[in-house]
Structures are given as C-alpha cells and as structure tokens.
C-alpha cells in the first residue's frame, strides 16, 4: 500500500517541478534532483522498505511522529513541492541567499539537496559527492521521515541533525541488508569515516576562513552556525574504539585552545594603548603623521621589555638583596664631595648622590652571589647587557620582515599610473575637512602633473637646470655636514681642556651638549630649505631629508663617542696610578699593622668607606655622559615643541586680530608636524639608550618615561598647534624605512659597547666586574665554579679555534647557500611575472582581434597548429570573476541566477567529477546519484568560490 | 561587560568574531557607535536579532565617513537592498572589510563594488568619470577628465571591451603599492 503511494508522490513532485522548469538554472537543478530521486526511489524501494521497518524498532527517541508516519506521508510531499516553488521564486531576487534557505527548508527532503547547497557555497566538491550518493538512497527513507520531521519544529537544528544521523545509520543498514541493528551501531566503513573526516575538516576550514568570504554577514553567520553544528555533531562520531575517546579528547582540547587563544587575542588587543589617540591624529593628518605615532608606540613597547629585563634582573635584585648605601666605598659619596652632594646643580649633573646610586654601573658590587637566593648579579648584569642587544636585534629584524611581506605591491612603476591614481589615491582614513581639502587639492595636482607628463612625454627642457640645482643642493648639504662635524670636534677638544680647570662658567660646562642640541635644531630646517631646490616628490624628499639628518646625527654621535673614548683612556691611565697608590697604601698599612701589633690576621683598615681613595670609575663617567645627553635631548625637544609650535600657534592665533597682515595665511602661519625630524630624534635617542644602558641601567627607565610622556605631549601638541601638510601624502612602507634606520643605529651602537666589554679592563674598585681583567671573565668564572666539570671541558673544547673556524665556515656557507637560493627564487619570480605579463598581452590581443604587439608571439602563433593555443584559458576565465561578484551583489542577483545556469550547463559532464570508488551500499540508487552529484560541482564552480582563503 | 545589560550573548560575540576581523571589545564598540547614530531606533539588546536598519543619511554622517568622497557608495555597496539602509550585521561587515586586517582579495572585491556606481559589474567610463570628479571636486576640465579616464581604462583593460571587469580591476589593484594602506578605516 505505501508503495503505491510513493510512486504517486514522486509523480506529483515531478509534475510540480516540471511546471516550473522555466524558472532558470536553479529549477533545472532541483528538477534533475527530483528525477534522480524518483529513479533512485523506484529502484531502492524494494530494499528501502526493510530498513525503514527496522528503524521503527531502533529509533526509540522518535516515538511521537512514528505513528503518524504513514498518514502524513502524502502531506509533507505536497508541502515540499510548494516550498520548492517558493524557493525558486525567492532565488530570483536573492541569489546569494538561496542556497541557505534551500538548505534550511529541504534539509529533511534528503541530504542531497542540503549538501549540494552547502557545497555550492563553500566550493566543496567532496560533500556533494557524498550527499549525492546518499540523496538517491535516502530519498526513500527520508520521505517517510519527513512526516515526523515536518511535525517537529523546523528551526530546530538539533532535530535535523538527529535526522541526519539516523539517515546515516539507515544507510549503513541498507548497505548490508543482512546486518543487525547492533552491528550497524558500531560499524562505519573506512571509506565513510574518511569522507566524514574530510568533511569535518572542510567545515573546520570554512569556519577558519569564513571571515575572508565576500558574503553578507547574515549569510556568514548562518553558514558559520551550520558548519559549527556539523562539526560538533560529527566530530565525536569519528574515531572508533579506543581511538574515539582519544579523538574526542583531542577535539575538546583543541576547542579549549581556540577559545583560549581568542581570549588571549582579545586581551592582547585590549592592551595595545593609544589606539584611539592615534586614530584621531590619523583622521586629522593622514597616515604619514600617524605612522610616526605608531612607530613611537612600537618603540615604547620594545623599551618596556628592555626595562623589564634591566629592572627585573639587575636593579631590583641589587636593591633588595645587595648591600645598602654607605656600606662599602663604591656605594658611598666620597668625603670631599659630601658637602655639595645634595645640591640641585650637582644632582642635575648626575654627580653627588646620583652618581652613587643604582642608576649607574659603579654602584653594583662584585660579590659573586647576593642574598639568600644566591643571585649571581655580575653574571646577570652582563647577560642583561648582551640580551638587550640580542632582543632589540631580533625584534627589529622580525618587524622588518613582517612589514616587508605586508607591503605586497610589486607593480612596476608606470604601468598603471592613472588607474592607481584613480583607485588608490584617496586615503580612507581622512576624517577632517581641512585635511580632506588638502587631499583633494593634492590629488588634483597630481592628476594634472600626470596629464602634462602624458601629453608631452618628452623630457623636461629644464632637466639641466634641475640637475644642476640638485648637485648644488647636495654640495651645500655636504658642506654643512662637514661644518657641523668640525664644530663638534672643536668643542670636544675644548671641553677636554676645560675638564682640567675649575673656574668654569655655566656655558663652558655645558658647551658640548648645547652645541649638539643647537645643531640638531638648526640643521634639519636648513636641510629642508636647501631641499626645496631639488623639487622632489614629497615622499622622496622625506627620505632624502631623513637620510641627511641621519648623517648629521651620526656624525655628531660618533664625534661624541671618540671624545668619550679619549676621556676613557685618560681615566684608565689615571686609574692605573691610583690603583698602584692605593695598593701601596694598603701594603704600608698592613706592614705597620703587623709591625706594631704582631698580629698577622688581615683585618681591613678601620677607615670609613667615605674616605677610601678610589679610582675615577670610567664606566660610571660614560654612563653619566649618556644620561646627561639623553636628558638634555628630552629638554630640548620638549622646549622646541613648546616654543616652536605652541607659542607660535598662540601668537598667530591671537595676534591675528590686530596685525597688519594675515598671520594665519601669511608668513609665520602654523607649524607643520615635522615627521622626519621627530622620527630621527626618536631613532637617535634609542641609539643613545642602547649605548648607555650597559653603563647606566637607570637610563632605560628614563627612556620609558620619556616615551610615555612624549606620546601624550606630542599627541596634544600635534592636535592643538599643527596644521595638516599642504601636500598630504601617504606613508607607504616608510615604516620599514624607519626600521632600517633603527637597525643601522642599533648596529652602530652595538660596536662601541661590545668593544668596551671585550677589550677594556673594568675599573678595579667599582661595578660588578671589578677585580677581573676583563668583563666577560665572569662567564668563565661561572662555567668553572657553578657548572659541572665536564661542561667546563666541553666549553673549553668549544672555544678551541679548531672548532670555531669550521663553525664560522659553516655559517658562511649557510649564508651563501641561502643567498643563492633566494636569488634563484627571485629569478623564478621574475620569470613567472614575465610569463603572466605575456599571457595577459596575448589574451588582450586575442580579444582585440587586432595585430599582436608582440611580434614574436604572433609568429609563434602562426606556426602553431590551429586552435591549440586558443583552447585552455578561454572557457575558464570569463565566468569566474563575474560569478564571484554575483554573490555579493544584490541588484544583479537575477543575473547571477541566469549566469549560474549557463555555467551549470556548460560544465562538461558533471558526472565525471564524482569518484567511482565509494562504499558499496548505495549502488542500488546508482542512477539517482548522477544528477545529485553533478549538481554539487556545477554550481559550486559557477558561483565561484570567493577569493582563495589565505 | 558584566556591569551593563547584555547586548550580545557570548555565542553571538563568538560568531561575530569568527565572521569578522574584530575582537570582542571592538564589536561592542561598533554596537555603541551604531546605537549612537539613532538611539531611539537601535535597541540595546541584540540577543534576539532585532530587525532594525539605519538609513544611509545617518551612517554617512559618521566622522569616519563624513569626508570620504565615496561615502554614499561605500554604504550602498554594503547594504543588502542597495539603497544604503544598513542593519547592524551589514554595519559590522562594512567596517570589517575596511579594517586593517582584511586581506587584499576581500578589499579588492568591495573596492570594485564601491567604484561601480551604476552597479552593472563593470567599471565603465561613466563610473570612472564619477570617481574622478569626486576625487578632484570637479576641478579638472572635461577634456582632462576624458583623457584620464581613457588612459586608466587603457592601462587596466585586458579584454579590450573598453570597460573594466572585475578581473581587470583585481589585476590592477593587487599590484598597487598603496591600496592596502589607503583602503582602510580605523574605527
């Protein structure tokens, strides 16, 4: 009896479909499916009945609908027909969403439909195959099923999944007709498993990449939900026996891990400070000014880590566990200086109490271990000093590498001048009307320039004048660089003379710092004025400017360093004599001691630590120099902002009411934010920190404070007093340029520090390395005393030149190898690019049906047999981009549907896409699978897959 | 989030995080921005997906978009009805695509949509003229405009149909050095 009904159902269904078959490709699809289903149903009926009855015993949880099954049979089918019709109508106006809706509505109608839709959306062939296979066979059972499915709430996906699951089981049962229920519970054939696993993996991939898909949000959300539910459902079913538990555990851990990493990510982004401040600046001044602040923030982050190292591993242990102030000579202000040690002027020079504080190298004791924890302070001091450089190098290089591959754009200049100008010149970040006006103006000018260039493509007639001007400008800049270098050299020499005198005025004392700051103040504007002569594009001009100021700073820095080294050498000589003197005094004392008291036990002389003769401690002197330089740099830059920008803005703003010309538009006007100067100031300052940090651990702390305050201060200053650049330009990739400068200065500041650590003997009476011939001896000491003996021998072997030379050779070879590999890749890249270009030209020519511009290609084409060149790219190319767009375009959805049909029809032999080797079961429904399967790849291809997930 | 009433359930937030490039905090901020635009229209409680759309005029007035010459197009291309009415989902979608993290391919698709003024899936001359006039505030002479548009099409057109299809556009835009740095809005 039910058999009869079934045939009726199918007929009705087919009629309904056929009557609407003019609706488009979509309908065609469903139609196909129906036919397949019908056939499948017809064939599988004989067998399909049995599993259905078996199910009734098995499916206990489905009690309610079961009774109604027979009675309901007719109704749902009809409903479904109606639904399909409605779906098809829907699909006309909203193509992108159709798939989803269809899936939701027809889920019970058979897996085929459901998975087809998923498939076409996600571009997954696999699912379609499976679904198709099932579809034909399931049709039978699910038709019965539909009765209860319809009875339940549609929206409840739980139920759907339940159904799915059951269907699956039924599949199995019909696969092997003779199987008992208990067996089918357990057994899931290997192929089935693998497919399921694959499917789950695909769903997971979809979840991971869903945000990259150009879909509407609603659709994304729904797909996400479906995929997640699918994964939840079937993940647990994978694996068997013991493996299942392990698999479930793994899956659970993975879920937890994902949750954790997301929370961590949320936390991390919440920790990134000043996002809003920078955004505000960005919207007012465009991305170039903002790039400075982003750089500043990055620097702050890096310095925070350095600060953590230095304070956590050196300063705080010393404060907590080291000897207190006044206990030993190196921690006490000498008697001579004690009366003035608290004077403001002395403290501002970092003498007096400042000099004998944890800020500087000299304060640290050379005890091998301190405190209860036996903290090896000298070792940690050296390690932190080296680690600072190591960490900075790593971070800078990593950031550079990251920036490099973000850059991406590899276009050859001049290929797309106008197109790029048109589509990429507007900076979407701009949110301020003044900046926007400037931007409009600059875009207009740049278009006009390009038009002029285009119109008279021949070279500028003034090329000679321009060249002359550029050479002249460079000459002038070299002159001023040389002049400033000489000035510093002269001042340094003079200050060495002054150092031996006592009657110094304030100016003479601070001459060096003053001159250096003044040069830093005067030269950049001078360079900028000279650069006007050159008439470069502002972005290029910015780089030149940066390079020049960098050269200036570098010259200053190195002159300063050489002067410092002179001083250090003087101090070392001085120290030698003091050391001899104090040793001699010691000996004298002991000799007298033993002579008078006849007691040879060595007690130290009863001298208060303040009176002990001590050496000059050159390390602390160097540290003080760097700290002084840094502090004066901070003062100068803050004062510059206050006077140069703020005072100027105030004057211009308020005097404008009573002035004879327009101050705002005329001469003084408001200042522009000086990107190059500020960036270089920052980079240069960081160089000082790197150099000075070893001799003055407190310097890192000062720098963190400086960066923090300057973030707020400069943000305020730029918003309050500056106007946007007249020619707003983008900061394309200049971030890496800053990084390059930073790397260079890091390297340059590494050299002197490593030189001093490696070659100069540390002072005999101050600092953590006192008493050792070289600073790095502390490592040797640790190896000898703290590590097991065999490690010591191991190290001594490792230090053997016989081992080091091969190691160095190996490294050189590795570098050489990597270098050549990267070169080869580059070549391959170039080759590919050339090929792409060629292919494009070719295509262009073919489409144009005009003469080939590339004569060689044309000749080749003539030589080739007809048609062999034509075939491959043609059919693939056109549908893809368009169809990709139809997904996202509401207005053209109707078109999308048509297109889909075309493609679906055009796709050659859809059946060929399915695999032949499937688990044996559903064979009976064979013919039914064809269309079901074919639909999967067809639309999937036609509708595009969105951009490739990356 | 605990002190206030719940705007989203945790599942919703997770789903949004999966579907966009935003963090939880940013999604909440986006909601508050969306809410600010029309406090009487937008509910604070989004747990049951209220159906609420804001018209183009409101959204275009956000400071982030206010100065943008293409603001109307941006909003229109992200709205489902093409008229510029944005639901919260679409609003989030818009800023997600325009965020810094969105990949080049995704941005290219939407950039194409934005510049496609007449929604015919091609950038034809008419579109380019509109683009150019918005970029320059119509300060170029008509001859210059025509010249620039012709040049741009000539440069980027691969198939010689005198309009840019998406393939042409993508090919051109993916090689532009400034595209990623300029086609983003920080919210």
């Amino acid at each position: 009896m039910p058999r009869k009904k079934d045939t009726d159902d199918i007929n009705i269904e087919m009629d309904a479909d056929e009557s609407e078959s003019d609706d488009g490709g979509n309908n065609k699809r469903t139609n196909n499916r129906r036919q397949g289903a019908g056939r499948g149903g017809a064939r599988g009926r004989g067998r399909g009945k049995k599993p259905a009855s078996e199910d009734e015993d098995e499916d206990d949880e489905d009690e309610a609908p079961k009774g109604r099954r027979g009675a309901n049979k007719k109704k749902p089918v009809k409903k479904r027909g109606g639904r399909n019709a409605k779906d098809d109508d829907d699909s006309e106006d909203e193509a992108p969403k159709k798939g989803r809706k269809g899936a939701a509505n027809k889920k019970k109608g058979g897996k085929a439909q459901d998975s087809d839709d998923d498939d076409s959306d996600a571009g997954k062939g696999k699912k379609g195959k499976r679904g198709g296979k099932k579809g034909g066979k399931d049709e039978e059972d699910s038709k019965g099923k539909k009765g209860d499915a319809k009875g339940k709430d549609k929206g409840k996906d739980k139920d759907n999944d339940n159904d799915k699951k059951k269907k699956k089981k039924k599949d199995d049962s019909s696969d092997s007709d003779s199987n008992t229920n208990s067996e089918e519970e357990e057994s899931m054939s290997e192929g089935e498993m693998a497919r399921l696993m694959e499917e789950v993996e695909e769903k997971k991939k979809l979840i991971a990449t869903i945000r990259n898909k150009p879909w509407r949000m609603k659709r994304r959300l729904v797909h996400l939900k479906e995929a997640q539910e699918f994964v939840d459902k079937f993940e647990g079913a994978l694996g068997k026996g013991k493996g299942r538990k392990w698999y479930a555990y793994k899956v659970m851990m993975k879920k937890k891990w994902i949750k954790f990493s997301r929370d961590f990510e949320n936390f991390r982004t919440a920790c990134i400070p000043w996002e809003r401040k920078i955004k505000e600046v960005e919207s007012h001044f465009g991305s170039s000014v903002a790039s400075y602040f982003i750089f500043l923030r990055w620097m702050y982050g890096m310095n925070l880590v350095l600060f953590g190292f230095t304070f956590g591993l050196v300063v705080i242990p010393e404060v907590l566990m080291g000897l207190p102030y006044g206990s030993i000579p190196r921690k006490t202000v000498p008697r001579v200086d004690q009366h003035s040690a608290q004077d403001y002027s002395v403290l501002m020079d970092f003498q007096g109490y400042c000099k004998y504080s944890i800020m500087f190298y000299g304060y640290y004791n050379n005890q091998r271990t301190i405190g209860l924890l036996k903290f090896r302070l000298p070792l940690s001091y050296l390690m932190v000093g080296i680690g600072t450089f190591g960490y900075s190098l790593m971070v800078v290089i990593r950031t550079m590498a990251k920036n490099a591959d973000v850059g991406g754009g590899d276009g050859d200049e001049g290929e797309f001048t106008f197109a790029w100008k048109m589509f990429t010149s507007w900076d979407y970040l701009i949110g301020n009307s003044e900046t926007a006006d400037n931007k409009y103006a600059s875009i207009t000018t740049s278009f006009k320039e390009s038009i002029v260039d285009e119109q008279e493509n021949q070279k500028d007639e003034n090329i000679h004048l321009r060249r002359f001007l550029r050479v002249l400008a460079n000459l002038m800049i070299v002159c001023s660089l040389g002049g400033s270098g000489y000035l510093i050299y002269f001042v340094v020499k003079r200050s060495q003379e002054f150092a031996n005198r006592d009657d110094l005025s304030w100016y003479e004392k601070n001459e060096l710092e003053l001159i250096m700051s003044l040069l830093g103040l005067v030269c950049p504007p001078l360079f900028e004025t000279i650069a006007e002569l050159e008439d470069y594009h502002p972005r290029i001009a910015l780089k030149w400017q940066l390079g020049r100021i960098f050269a200036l700073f570098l010259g200053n820095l190195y002159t300063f360093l050489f002067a410092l080294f002179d001083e250090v050498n003087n101090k070392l000589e001085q120290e030698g004599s003091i050391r001899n003197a104090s040793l001699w005094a010691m000996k004298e004392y002991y000799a007298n001691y033993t002579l008078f008291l006849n007691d040879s036990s060595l007690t130290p002389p009863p001298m208060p630590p303040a009176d002990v003769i001590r050496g000059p401690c050159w390390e602390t002197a160097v540290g003080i120099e760097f700290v002084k330089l840094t502090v004066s740099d901070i003062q100068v830059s803050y004062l510059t902002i206050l006077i140069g920008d703020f005072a100027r803005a105030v004057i211009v703003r308020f005097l404008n009411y009573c002035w004879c010309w327009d101050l705002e538009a005329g001469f003084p006007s408001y200042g522009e934010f000086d990107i190059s100067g500020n960036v270089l100031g920052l980079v240069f300052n960081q160089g000082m920190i790197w150099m000075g940090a070893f001799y003055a651990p407190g310097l890192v702390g000062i720098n963190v404070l400086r960066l923090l305050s300057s973030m707020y201060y400069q943000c305020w200053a730029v918003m309050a007093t500056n106007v946007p650049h007249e020619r707003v330009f983008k900061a394309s990739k200049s971030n890496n340029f800053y990084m390059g400068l930073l790397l260079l200065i890091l390297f340059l500041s590494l050299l002197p520090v490593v030189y001093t650590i490696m070659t100069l003997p540390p002072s005999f009476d101050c600092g953590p390395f006192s008493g050792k011939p070289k600073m790095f001896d502390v490592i040797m000491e640790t190896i000898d005393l703290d590590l097991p003996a065999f490690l010591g021998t191991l190290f001594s072997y490792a230090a053997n030149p016989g081992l080091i030379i091969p190691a160095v050779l190996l490294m050189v070879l590795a570098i050489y190898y990597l270098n050549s590999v990267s070169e080869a890749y580059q070549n391959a890249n170039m080759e590919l690019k050339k090929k792409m270009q060629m292919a494009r030209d070719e295509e262009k020519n073919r489409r144009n049906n005009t003469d080939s511009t590339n004569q060689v290609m044309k000749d080749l084409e003539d030589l080739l047999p007809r048609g062999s060149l034509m075939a491959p790219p043609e059919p693939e190319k056109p549908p893809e981009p368009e169809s990709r767009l139809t997904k996202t375009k509401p207005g053209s959805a109707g078109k999308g549907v048509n297109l889909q049909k075309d493609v679906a029809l055009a796709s050659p032999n859809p059946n060929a896409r399915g695999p032949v080797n499937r688990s044996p079961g559903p064979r009976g429904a064979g013919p039914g699978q064809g269309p079901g399967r074919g639909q999967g790849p067809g639309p999937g291809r036609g509708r595009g897959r969105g951009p490739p997930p990356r | 989030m605990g002190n206030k009433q719940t705007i989203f359930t945790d599942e919703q937030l997770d789903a949004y995080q999966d579907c966009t490039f935003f963090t939880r905090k940013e999604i909440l901020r986006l909601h508050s921005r969306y809410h600010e635009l029309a406090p009487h229209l937008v509910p604070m409680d989004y747990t049951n997906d209220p159906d609420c759309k804001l018209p183009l005029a409101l959204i275009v007035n956000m400071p982030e978009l206010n100065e943008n010459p293409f603001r109307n197009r941006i909003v229109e291309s992200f709205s489902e009805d093409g008229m510029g009415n944005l639901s919260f989902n679409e609003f989030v979608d818009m800023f997600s695509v325009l965020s810094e993290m969105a990949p080049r391919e995704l941005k290219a698709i939407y950039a194409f949509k934005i510049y496609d003024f007449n929604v015919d899936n091609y950038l034809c001359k008419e579109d380019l003229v509109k683009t150019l006039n918005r970029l320059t505030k119509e300060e170029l002479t008509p001859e210059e405009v025509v010249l620039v548009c012709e040049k741009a099409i000539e440069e980027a057109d691969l198939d010689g149909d005198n309009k840019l299809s998406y393939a042409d556009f993508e090919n051109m835009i993916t090689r532009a050095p400034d595209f990623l740095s300029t086609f983003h809005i920080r919210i």
Side-chain angles (χ1 to χ4, degrees), chain A residues 220 262 279 282 847 888, chain B residues 18-19 64 113 159 186:
Chain A
R220 263 189 239 163
R262 168 170 293 165
K279 196 214 124 193
E282 205 164 38
R847 302 264 179 103
T888 55
Chain B
D18 273 329
C19 291
E64 280 82 6
K113 289 182 68 176
D159 45 13
R186 219 185 271 256

Side-chain angles (χ1 to χ4, degrees), chain B residues 1 11 23-24 59-60 66 84 88 108 110 119 128 131-134 139 156-157 166-167 171 175-176 184:
Chain B
M1 282 129 251
E11 293 81 51
T23 60
R24 183 193 185 90
I59 291 163
V60 151
N66 203 10
F88 179 66
Y110 281 97
V119 205
L128 295 191
T131 310
L132 192 60
N133 280 336
R134 292 196 184 200
E139 279 181 17
D157 189 17
Y166 177 69
N171 174 43
R175 293 140 125 262
H184 91 256

Side-chain angles (χ1 to χ4, degrees), chain B residues 147-172:
Chain B
L147 180 83
V148 169
C149 293
E150 270 171 6
K151 276 283 163 198
I153 288 183
E154 189 184 307
E155 281 166 359
D157 189 17
L158 295 181
D159 45 13
D161 54 2
N162 260 329
K163 48 191 182 179
L164 304 184
S165 67
Y166 177 69
D168 303 333
F169 182 78
E170 192 196 22
N171 174 43
M172 183 268 297

Side-chain angles (χ1 to χ4, degrees), chain A residues 222-494:
Chain A
V222 172
H223 270 278
L224 178 75
K225 202 168 178 192
E226 271 172 19
Q228 271 172 346
E229 263 159 17
F230 184 85
V231 171
D232 279 353
K233 192 73 208 164
F234 288 114
E235 222 168 24
L238 292 174
K240 53 183 171 185
K242 269 187 185 173
R244 180 176 295 195
K245 242 180 195 170
W246 169 239
Y247 188 82
Y249 178 73
K250 241 173 36 183
V251 165
M252 195 186 72
M253 284 322 279
K254 204 182 246 170
K255 256 185 220 159
K256 285 208 167 139
W257 170 248
I258 288 172
K259 176 113 181 55
F260 170 77
S261 56
R262 168 170 293 165
D263 284 349
F264 181 73
E265 187 64 22
N266 282 347
F267 172 73
R268 212 173 56 97
T269 44
C271 285
I272 294 178
W274 306 311
E275 196 62 31
R276 316 232 53 183
K277 257 190 158 46
I278 291 175
K279 196 214 124 193
E280 206 178 328
V281 171
E282 205 164 38
S283 68
H284 273 80
F285 294 90
S287 48
S288 58
V289 174
S291 73
Y292 165 74
F293 285 97
I294 290 171
F295 186 58
L296 179 62
R297 182 174 68 180
W298 183 86
M299 289 281 252
Y300 178 72
M302 189 183 72
N303 276 288
L304 219 53
V305 174
L306 296 185
F307 175 79
F309 276 136
T310 323
F311 272 67
L313 293 175
V314 173
V315 176
I316 292 181
E318 173 70 28
V319 171
L320 292 181
M321 301 186 278
L323 294 168
Y325 173 83
S327 54
I328 48 172
R330 71 186 66 183
K331 296 190 176 187
T332 320
V333 178
R335 179 92 53 205
V336 209
D337 297 335
Q338 256 173 13
H339 65 278
S340 66
Q342 253 179 330
D343 292 1
Y344 179 73
S345 64
V346 172
L347 285 180
M348 278 324 279
D349 275 348
F350 297 97
Q351 300 290 337
Y353 283 113
C354 262
K355 188 176 174 182
Y356 299 94
S357 71
I358 41 146
M359 265 186 72
F360 294 107
Y361 173 92
Y363 183 80
Y364 295 84
N365 199 359
N366 64 342
Q367 263 180 308
R368 239 175 62 71
T369 60
I370 55 171
L372 289 171
L373 296 172
K374 303 239 176 277
F375 189 75
R376 287 170 182 76
L377 189 79
L379 182 68
S380 134
Y381 195 102
L382 188 71
M383 285 307 181
V384 165
I386 295 168
T388 300
F389 285 111
Y391 175 77
S392 312
L393 267 175
M394 198 186 78
V395 168
V396 172
I397 289 175
R398 253 187 54 181
T399 315
M400 276 181 87
K402 219 194 285 170
N403 282 357
D405 82 10
V406 164
D410 57 345
D412 323 314
E413 295 287 330
E415 200 188 343
F416 295 120
T417 334
F418 283 100
W420 282 349
K421 277 214 170 102
M422 195 173 284
F423 295 119
T424 66
S425 59
W426 183 261
D427 194 343
Y428 278 59
L429 284 165
I430 291 174
N432 169 272
S433 60
E434 204 177 338
T435 320
D437 284 343
N438 287 348
K439 187 77 193 174
Y440 285 125
S442 91
I443 290 175
T444 311
T445 356
S446 86
F447 267 119
K448 283 196 167 146
E449 276 167 13
S450 307
I451 291 169
V452 170
D453 278 358
E454 194 63 37
Q455 274 168 350
E456 33 177 307
N457 224 345
Q458 72 270 32
K459 282 293 162 196
D460 195 355
E461 76 274 14
N462 268 343
I463 185 77
H464 293 299
L465 177 65
R466 182 170 292 187
R467 269 190 199 150
F468 170 73
L469 282 178
R470 284 184 184 174
V471 170
L472 185 73
N474 277 310
L475 207 66
M476 281 157 77
I477 282 166
V478 168
C479 283
S480 54
L481 278 178
S484 71
Y486 178 73
L487 186 65
I488 293 180
Y489 178 73
F490 176 75
V491 173
V492 167
K493 278 272 170 246
R494 235 160 75 106

Side-chain angles (χ1 to χ4, degrees), chain A residues 94 97 207-208 210-218 220-221 224 228 259 262-263 265-266 269-270 275-276 278-279 282 287 294 297 406-433 436-437 439-441 443-444 447-448 451 454-455 539 730-733 833 836-837 840 843-845 847-848 877 881-882 884-886 888-892 895 947-948 950, chain B residues 12-25 29 33 63-64 67-71 74 77-82 89-90 92-93 96-98 100 103-106 109-110 112-116 119-123 128 131-132 134-137 139-140 144 147-149 151-152 154-161 164-167 169-187:
Chain A
E94 36 182 333
K97 280 173 62 182
I207 292 173
I210 198 162
R211 61 180 68 167
N212 291 346
K213 303 224 180 290
W215 297 345
R216 296 258 171 239
M217 185 62 103
K218 223 190 252 167
R220 263 189 239 163
L221 287 172
L224 178 75
Q228 271 172 346
K259 176 113 181 55
R262 168 170 293 165
D263 284 349
E265 187 64 22
N266 282 347
T269 44
E275 196 62 31
R276 316 232 53 183
I278 291 175
K279 196 214 124 193
E282 205 164 38
S287 48
I294 290 171
R297 182 174 68 180
V406 164
D410 57 345
D412 323 314
E413 295 287 330
E415 200 188 343
F416 295 120
T417 334
F418 283 100
W420 282 349
K421 277 214 170 102
M422 195 173 284
F423 295 119
T424 66
S425 59
W426 183 261
D427 194 343
Y428 278 59
L429 284 165
I430 291 174
N432 169 272
S433 60
D437 284 343
K439 187 77 193 174
Y440 285 125
I443 290 175
T444 311
F447 267 119
K448 283 196 167 146
I451 291 169
E454 194 63 37
Q455 274 168 350
R539 209 182 308 164
K730 289 150 295 191
S732 90
K733 284 203 263 179
K833 233 184 258 174
M836 263 167 64
Q837 179 73 33
R840 245 183 298 134
E843 202 172 326
K844 204 169 178 174
N845 291 331
R847 302 264 179 103
N848 283 344
K877 223 175 172 182
E882 290 164 8
R884 192 185 287 187
L885 277 163
T886 51
T888 55
K889 194 140 302 215
S892 58
K895 198 180 161 212
R950 263 178 214 179
Chain B
Q12 272 176 313
L13 281 173
D14 277 346
Y16 275 127
Q17 286 180 62
D18 273 329
C19 291
T20 66
F21 299 93
F22 291 123
T23 60
R24 183 193 185 90
K25 196 176 135 196
R29 189 161 78 224
R33 291 297 303 273
E64 280 82 6
E67 294 301 331
N68 198 314
F70 306 111
R71 53 185 177 273
I74 297 175
S77 27
F78 280 95
S79 74
E80 201 163 338
D81 55 6
N89 278 341
E90 291 153 359
V92 173
D93 199 18
S96 167
V97 169
L98 287 169
E100 227 170 338
R104 197 180 271 268
E105 295 80 15
L106 188 61
I109 290 170
Y110 281 97
F112 183 78
K113 289 182 68 176
I114 286 170
Y115 294 123
D116 182 14
V119 205
D120 61 352
N121 275 346
Y122 284 103
L123 299 182
L128 295 191
T131 310
L132 192 60
R134 292 196 184 200
L135 268 181
T136 57
K137 288 205 164 174
E139 279 181 17
L140 294 180
E144 284 171 329
L147 180 83
V148 169
C149 293
K151 276 283 163 198
E154 189 184 307
E155 281 166 359
D157 189 17
L158 295 181
D159 45 13
D161 54 2
L164 304 184
S165 67
Y166 177 69
F169 182 78
E170 192 196 22
N171 174 43
M172 183 268 297
I173 209 83
T174 47
R175 293 140 125 262
D178 296 331
F179 176 60
L180 275 189
S181 60
T182 55
F183 196 73
H184 91 256
I185 291 179
R186 219 185 271 256
I187 182 103

